[in-house]
Amino acid sequence: GNSVTQMEGPVTLSEEAFLTINCTYTATGYPSLFWYVQYPGEGLQLLLKATKADDKGSNKGFEATYRKETTSFHLEKGSVQVSDSAVYFCALSDFGGTALIFGKGTTLSVSS
Amino acid sequence: EAQVTQNPRYLITVTGKKLTVTCSQNMNHEYMSWYRQDPGLGLRQIYYSMNVEVTDKGDVPEGYKVSRKEKRNFPLILESPSPNQTSLYFCASSSPGPIPLPLHFGNGTRLTVT
């Protein structure tokens, strides 16, 4: 079945450090891929998405590239801020899928 | 403002006492879904609905019921809650299509069953 694996957290960084959160997936066909972010006490918000191979999603300085050959969708940011502290979820959805399949989430903590 | 509204935000109850968590969206979305979030397990889908009067089970439907009598509302019903249903619950909605559109999430309901 479809699944998403993302790196275990927590990830602890200093402000302005480089961030990478790894995400790999298993799926039949050509899924769409997403990163969601959950700030404390809130629901999940879409951060970025990619719908086909080699697409790059980007938003708020975060980027992720859909790599079909490595079945990966790693999240990166060049310089993190304290306000980026949150839980990040990688997710996939099949063509016409009725659910998003989520990874277990990675907690990011950024200190000043 | 486009939003998904869940109520209540926090709920403490006892085993066996029926409860309902409400969910309402104002975006005219056809698709609605319930997830539960547990530490170390991420989010798992409980039930979903593709449109009015059309509902189906997700990955973890046992112990839950839903209904979709109106497009905007999708309540989650626990007829006899048990402690293993203590969790953080999220309702979500979207407009489905050839490429699924992003889900819009509510702010969550933290349920404790003692």
Side-chain angles (χ1 to χ4, degrees):
Chain A
N2 298 338
S3 66
V4 174
T5 303
Q6 58 183 106
M7 62 188 287
E8 297 281 333
V11 174
T12 303
L13 295 173
S14 298
E15 208 165 23
E16 300 184 3
F18 185 85
L19 169 71
T20 299
I21 300 177
N22 291 335
C23 172
T24 57
Y25 67 90
T26 302
T28 55
Y30 303 94
S32 294
L33 301 174
F34 306 85
W35 277 100
Y36 280 80
V37 58
Q38 182 181 30
Y39 298 105
E42 298 183 12
L44 282 72
Q45 305 172 23
L46 178 68
L47 181 59
L48 53 85
K49 67 176 182 179
T51 57
K52 61 182 186 295
D54 299 324
D55 267 3
K56 177 185 281 188
S58 62
N59 186 24
K60 299 181 181 179
F62 290 89
E63 293 184 341
T65 301
Y66 188 163
R67 302 283 188 203
K68 193 172 190 307
E69 64 276 13
T70 55
T71 61
S72 66
F73 192 55
H74 304 322
L75 182 69
E76 296 181 336
K77 186 175 186 182
S79 176
V80 294
Q81 305 300 312
V82 172
S83 57
D84 294 325
S85 298
V87 182
Y88 292 82
F89 291 91
C90 185
L92 71 82
S93 182
D94 276 349
F95 178 95
T98 55
L100 282 181
I101 309 298
F102 286 90
K104 293 182 180 181
T106 302
T107 299
L108 170 66
S109 179
V110 181
S111 58
S112 58
Chain B
E1 179 189 351
Q3 59 185 2
V4 177
T5 303
Q6 294 179 230
N7 280 297
R9 290 293 307 273
Y10 302 92
L11 180 58
I12 301 173
T13 190
V14 296
T15 300
K17 185 176 182 181
K18 181 179 178 179
L19 66 91
T20 299
V21 184
T22 63
C23 173
S24 180
Q25 51 93 3
N26 62 1
M27 295 167 280
N28 203 36
H29 285 164
E30 294 88 355
Y31 176 87
M32 297 185 74
S33 181
W34 277 102
Y35 287 83
R36 61 178 288 174
Q37 183 180 10
D38 301 291
L41 297 176
L43 281 88
R44 295 176 292 167
Q45 190 183 52
I46 303 170
Y47 268 94
Y48 65 93
S49 169
M50 297 298 289
N51 214 323
V52 176
E53 302 292 1
V54 181
T55 63
D56 211 342
K57 297 177 181 179
D59 295 323
V60 288
E62 294 78 19
Y64 305 94
K65 287 176 59 176
V66 293
S67 70
R68 188 90 183 273
K69 293 183 170 52
E70 308 164 278
K71 198 171 189 179
R72 64 182 292 124
N73 295 324
F74 191 46
L76 179 69
I77 303 155
L78 286 72
E79 298 225 324
S80 183
S82 63
N84 65 11
Q85 293 178 297
T86 292
S87 187
L88 179 58
Y89 291 86
F90 288 101
C91 181
S93 72
S94 76
S95 286
I99 297 173
L101 296 182
L103 287 177
H104 294 258
F105 282 84
N107 281 340
T109 296
R110 186 167 292 282
L111 172 64
T112 302
V113 183
T114 61

